[in-house]
Amino acid sequence: MFSHIYYIVSTRAHPKRHYHWEGNYPEDTGQWGNQTIDALLSARVDQRMTPYKGKDVPIEERISAWLQKMELAYGFWFQRIGLRNERSYEMRIQKSLNSARVTLADIGYGVAQFLPILVLCYYVPIGSTLILEEPGTHLHPKAQADLADLLIEVITERSLQILVESHSEHLLTRLQLRIAEQQIAAKDTALYFCENENGVSTIKSLEVDEIGNIRNWPKDFFGNVRGDLVKMAREQMKRQKKAED
């Protein structure tokens, strides 16, 4: 009943400059993401594939594509180091087409924290259930929004069920947009808000309609962004008018 359920915590393992791979084939990327490199290397040796747009492609292809789309990296490579029988590797990341290839430990922390999530989405068996805590940790706003598209892809292409804990407005807004665009149906999503009242936490279901609107959105959870923008515009107009007088 509980097979093929994979959980990953919000603070993943710190990246290293080199990794030792014993040739093992892990079940997943590990609760802390500490088996991510083992998973990538074993998938390469095993030539692991994933369905995408009606055909099977190497999982590395989709992982690289998402790193590029999210503007996190141009690509990644493994470089063997040390003696031939040591099985020690460096994972080299290239940020852009013309940048140097550096180790995973020497690139932005967001890449290292997100990589276990990305690899997990393609490494686990089709039909698996993922439980992800704060998958967008240390990602810039565009990447947080693109994360919603990644999740929709693997839900659609790989039949994954994904439970996400997140505080990201960018992820949620992109999900609402995709519901409005009919890329995912509202009935195939479920949103919940955990609220603390007088020391008691309660979970409330958020009502999402077919065009992505949330009918019972918690007041000021993300702050009053729209109100702040309106006030800022008014103040700008006042100052501009004062300067012209």
Side-chain angles (χ1 to χ4, degrees), residues 17 27 40 53 58 66 98 117 127:
R17 286 193 168 82
E27 185 179 5
L40 274 172
K53 292 187 175 180
W66 278 107
N98 298 316
I117 299 289

Side-chain angles (χ1 to χ4, degrees), residues 70 125 147 170 192 197 209 217 239:
M70 299 172 81
L147 175 57
H170 308 289
Y192 299 92
E197 295 179 355
D209 64 22
W217 185 241
R239 292 180 63 177

Side-chain angles (χ1 to χ4, degrees), residues 19-197:
Y19 294 85
H20 187 73
W21 181 50
E22 293 286 355
N24 59 310
Y25 288 69
E27 185 179 5
D28 61 356
T29 57
Q31 182 176 341
W32 292 275
N34 53 304
Q35 297 185 99
T36 300
I37 304 304
D38 289 1
L40 274 172
L41 287 168
S42 64
R44 173 175 289 188
V45 171
D46 203 33
Q47 298 183 332
R48 189 169 297 203
M49 311 291 279
T50 187
Y52 179 65
K53 292 187 175 180
K55 62 180 181 179
D56 289 337
V57 300
I59 70 169
E60 271 196 30
E61 182 178 310
R62 295 308 304 145
I63 291 168
S64 292
W66 278 107
L67 288 173
Q68 289 185 22
K69 177 179 173 59
M70 299 172 81
E71 298 182 2
L72 297 175
Y74 173 74
F76 66 90
W77 296 263
F78 286 105
Q79 181 175 321
R80 198 162 188 166
I81 58 175
L83 299 176
R84 185 176 181 83
N85 61 348
E86 285 185 355
R87 291 196 169 189
S88 291
Y89 295 85
E90 287 180 340
M91 184 179 187
R92 291 275 174 171
I93 305 283
Q94 191 172 8
K95 181 67 176 177
S96 61
L97 179 61
N98 298 316
S99 63
R101 296 181 183 183
V102 299
T103 69
L104 187 59
D106 296 313
I107 201 165
Y109 197 60
V111 177
Q113 287 290 288
F114 176 64
L115 191 62
I117 299 289
L118 179 56
V119 174
L120 185 70
C121 285
Y122 289 100
Y123 186 79
V124 297
I126 289 173
S128 296
T129 297
L130 307 185
I131 303 173
L132 311 176
E133 286 189 6
E134 300 291 352
T137 299
H138 299 290
L139 294 182
H140 55 74
K142 178 189 181 302
Q144 290 180 37
D146 289 338
L147 175 57
D149 291 330
L150 164 65
L151 299 180
I152 291 171
E153 178 181 306
V154 294
I155 288 168
T156 304
E157 297 281 359
R158 310 196 74 241
S159 301
L160 300 186
Q161 181 179 27
I162 304 179
L163 284 71
V164 176
E165 178 204 10
S166 177
H167 294 82
S168 173
E169 180 180 9
H170 308 289
L171 189 158
L172 178 59
T173 302
R174 179 64 59 82
L175 176 61
Q176 291 176 268
L177 172 63
R178 297 310 185 218
I179 292 173
E181 293 175 337
Q182 297 182 299
Q183 292 193 29
I184 188 169
K187 65 180 179 61
D188 293 329
T189 68
L191 300 179
Y192 299 92
F193 177 74
C194 186
E195 190 171 37
N196 187 289
E197 295 179 355

